[in-house]
Amino acid sequence: MKRYHVGIFLELPLDVGGGFQQSLTEIIWMRDWARTADIDVTVFTTLPDNVAILAGLGIDSVCLKLGWLDRLILFLKYLGPFDLLQYTMRIRAPFERKLIRAGVDIVYFTTTSNWNLALYQLPFIITIFDGCFRDSPEFDEVRAFAQFERRDTVWRNGVIKASVVVTNADELIDMLCRRYAMERDHAVCIPFSPSPYVSRSDAAGDSAILRKHGIEPGYLFYPAQFWPHKNHATILLAMRLLRDQGVKHRLVLCGSDRGARAGFEALVMQHGLSDCVQILGFVPSVELGALYRGASALVMATYFGPTNLPPLEAWEIGTPVIYPEAFQAQAGDAAILFDYDDPASLARAISKVGSADERARLAIAGKQRLAHFAERIDEGHRQLARHLMRLRYRRYPQNY
């Protein structure tokens, strides 16, 4: 008797940060739940390095190589007329044929993968983290080389064609229904959850990690890749305002360079803040907990939302959070809010976080916020499980 088989597709590298960590969280949940539901799960990844990372978590995976024909078909799928040719000639990408040969019944994309376009026969589940290329189309990273148009094609096809759409916020579901006419009952909300790495506490280990990077506790911390939309500049300008008022802060940044680091470093030099800013580059996940614990506050200045992972990780540890007011739906009362287009607003928020009473309040509110999201995550997983059980029945009714 054939068991229902979910193929999970992980294509992100470790250095993308939150998207990779959230994918790991969902893979672990799917593996554990499937054992109780008589369902098979195979994790496929396009990156050999991910095989070792997954093995370290006790997860077996298969490295799926994508060739030139896969990429040609994916390219052609951005062209609407190719659909008719594909139907006429019954063309399937080698990518899909490999999944079918492996016995996969449905593909679970843990990100908004453009490879959903290449599926001709297999149904799929897709994850949509945001729609920020349409919320903030002014940024180069969502405009250059037809990035906007390509993303719009991927999002539109994904939400219309997917059997299930996994999102991380109710307002994102509303947005997808409004922009792409998504069927609301196909959507499941599973909020972000903290990476399992950050809560591991070891005082001696924390001290060693801080010494390794040459930093002392008490800094402002922002873990984010260097994209323009991450808005590092507003933090720097707020620090300059505070310095001019006689208050000096230190800023520690970590994250890969996606093209904006050189411009930020030039801004640091321009404002004479070189002695106040330390850029660590990409750091291993196991070091993040120590960096959060050593910080006086997380300063999350990004323009993209509606949800982000670092506030959850800071709440897990008890580090105060400073966060854009545009994302209050995620933050609730567990963060000091500011206007991400106003350095003076951020400067006031940084000053406010120095209050002992405010820090104590934020620590309690952060734990309460995490408990709220834990309930939402459990409910989201129950909804996803119900969808999968229905899909299993539709595929193999003879098994019942």
Side-chain angles (χ1 to χ4, degrees):
M1 185 169 62
K2 177 72 167 64
R3 287 158 57 101
Y4 197 61
H5 190 170
V6 178
I8 303 179
F9 188 64
L10 174 65
E11 62 180 321
L12 294 178
L14 174 63
D15 64 2
V16 302
F20 183 86
Q21 298 301 333
Q22 193 62 24
S23 292
L24 290 184
T25 299
E26 290 309 301
I27 289 169
I28 292 170
W29 173 82
M30 180 65 74
R31 176 200 63 183
D32 294 343
W33 171 78
R35 289 171 177 168
T36 71
D38 200 30
I39 287 176
D40 291 331
V41 172
T42 302
V43 179
F44 298 90
T45 180
T46 56
L47 302 172
D49 288 348
N50 286 348
V51 175
I53 294 170
L54 291 164
L57 297 171
I59 300 170
D60 294 329
S61 60
V62 175
C63 190
L64 193 64
K65 294 182 179 180
L66 302 175
W68 68 266
L69 183 56
D70 284 309
R71 300 186 189 284
L72 175 61
I73 290 175
L74 180 61
F75 171 77
L76 292 173
K77 286 296 291 185
Y78 282 98
L79 307 176
F82 179 71
D83 290 333
L84 181 59
L85 178 64
Q86 185 178 23
Y87 169 75
T88 303
M89 300 184 66
R90 298 296 194 269
I91 299 170
R92 294 188 182 87
F95 162 67
E96 183 172 33
R97 293 203 301 267
K98 290 173 185 176
L99 294 173
I100 292 172
R101 284 198 300 269
V104 169
D105 293 300
I106 189 167
V107 183
Y108 180 8
F109 294 103
T110 59
T111 58
T112 316
S113 172
N114 61 353
W115 287 101
N116 84 81
L117 298 172
L119 295 181
Y120 177 79
Q121 176 178 337
L122 289 173
F124 62 89
I125 299 166
I126 196 161
T127 304
I128 308 284
F129 288 142
D130 62 61
C132 294
F133 69 99
R134 290 189 59 173
D135 297 332
S136 302
E138 62 272 18
F139 289 106
D140 289 345
E141 57 265 39
V142 300
R143 297 182 67 85
F145 304 107
Q147 185 70 232
F148 184 99
E149 291 77 9
R150 289 186 289 129
R151 288 193 186 194
D152 199 52
T153 297
V154 172
W155 264 246
R156 186 179 305 278
N157 186 82
V159 301
I160 292 175
K161 194 176 178 182
S163 297
V164 183
V165 178
V166 177
T167 74
N168 50 68
D170 291 328
E171 53 266 48
L172 187 52
I173 294 175
D174 293 339
M175 179 272 287
L176 293 173
C177 290
R178 184 178 70 254
R179 290 178 179 167
Y180 299 114
M182 180 183 72
E183 297 294 335
R184 186 174 292 272
D185 62 357
H186 287 187
V188 171
C189 179
I190 304 176
F192 286 147
S193 56
S195 164
Y197 294 106
V198 300
S199 59
R200 299 173 184 172
S201 178
D202 175 1
D206 284 3
S207 297
I209 290 169
L210 296 185
R211 284 197 305 273
K212 168 188 170 181
H213 294 293
I215 53 181
E216 295 290 332
Y219 47 85
L220 303 173
F221 181 49
Y222 187 20
Q225 299 181 81
F226 282 88
W227 295 102
H229 75 261
K230 292 299 185 180
N231 195 22
H232 292 83
T234 293
I235 304 177
L236 193 71
L237 295 175
M239 290 173 59
R240 186 203 64 189
L241 290 174
L242 291 168
R243 182 201 60 189
D244 292 346
Q245 297 168 15
V247 181
K248 195 171 183 179
H249 289 273
R250 290 177 296 121
L251 175 65
V252 172
L253 304 169
C254 69
S256 304
D257 182 16
R258 300 296 179 178
R261 177 167 171 171
F264 175 76
E265 289 176 331
L267 195 63
V268 171
M269 293 290 291
Q270 176 185 332
H271 291 287
L273 290 169
S274 299
D275 61 333
C276 300
V277 178
Q278 185 164 351
I279 301 175
L280 307 183
F282 174 76
V283 300
S285 299
V286 294
E287 295 185 359
L288 282 174
L291 294 172
Y292 276 110
R293 281 185 286 272
S296 61
L298 167 72
V299 182
M300 187 83 190
T302 182
Y303 285 109
F304 282 11
T307 61
N308 289 280
L309 185 58
L312 297 161
E313 296 180 331
W315 292 332
E316 176 78 11
I317 286 171
T319 299
V321 174
I322 301 173
Y323 202 36
E325 60 192 11
F327 310 136
Q328 186 173 10
Q330 181 188 17
D333 64 348
I336 299 175
L337 304 177
F338 72 99
D339 180 348
Y340 47 30
D341 286 314
D342 183 1
S345 173
L346 177 53
R348 290 191 294 272
I350 293 171
S351 297
K352 187 175 181 180
V353 84
S355 162
D357 289 343
E358 184 66 4
R359 296 177 68 84
R361 183 194 71 79
L362 289 171
I364 295 170
K367 294 298 184 184
Q368 292 172 341
R369 202 71 184 143
L370 280 180
H372 164 75
F373 284 122
E375 293 177 359
R376 295 295 311 279
I377 291 167
D378 288 344
E379 174 56 28
H381 282 152
R382 285 192 292 269
Q383 290 182 25
L384 179 56
R386 287 194 292 269
H387 277 289
L388 283 167
M389 297 303 284
R390 288 179 181 274
L391 292 167
R392 182 181 73 166
Y393 175 77
R394 294 174 186 186
R395 177 68 168 139
Y396 298 114
Q398 68 272 19
N399 289 355
Y400 285 78

